[in-house]
Amino acid sequence: MRKFAASVALVALLLGVAGVSTPSRAETGQVAVVFTKGGFIIGVGGGEGVLVFRGKRYPFTVSGMSVGFTIGASTTKLVGRALNLQGPASIEGSYSASLPGRYSVPCRSALAA
């Protein structure tokens, strides 16, 4: 459970630093994600989140999978900051995290239409 929470936290951190821009033009947004994962050896998960940027709310989805010691199901809520954003689309992309003894397949984030 702790390994899963650490990997989800790392994905959220990567979401926060996804935008690449000059410091003078970079902005910060607030991110909240609810991620649910379940499986047996192979884990599959997904969730929804919202980016609050320049006073507007931008919903997005998160999905991914992992291979390793996985038994059961869990839901995790993450709240944090997204740094170095040029705009709401800066949070979109693929992110991956790996921990010792475990291989994680990339996670995909996309703004909802």
Side-chain angles (χ1 to χ4, degrees):
M1 178 71 173
R2 288 184 184 243
K3 286 183 179 181
F4 171 71
S7 66
V8 171
L10 183 57
V11 169
L13 176 66
L14 291 172
L15 286 172
V17 297
V20 179
S21 65
T22 61
S24 63
R25 302 199 133 221
E27 295 187 55
T28 301
Q30 299 297 316
V31 178
V33 178
V34 176
F35 191 84
T36 302
K37 177 185 173 187
F40 181 74
I41 300 176
I42 296 176
V44 178
E48 296 178 342
V50 64
L51 166 67
V52 178
F53 184 67
R54 297 182 187 152
K56 292 185 181 177
R57 299 173 60 86
Y58 299 92
F60 63 92
T61 59
V62 180
S63 63
M65 66 179 284
S66 65
V67 178
F69 185 71
T70 303
I71 297 177
S74 66
T75 299
T76 306
K77 182 176 181 181
L78 304 167
V79 178
R81 294 182 299 159
L83 307 174
N84 301 321
L85 297 175
Q86 291 181 335
S90 296
I91 203 166
E92 290 188 65
S94 295
Y95 307 91
S96 65
S98 62
L99 298 170
R102 180 172 148 158
Y103 175 73
S104 294
V105 177
C107 193
R108 179 85 183 141
S109 169
L111 287 174

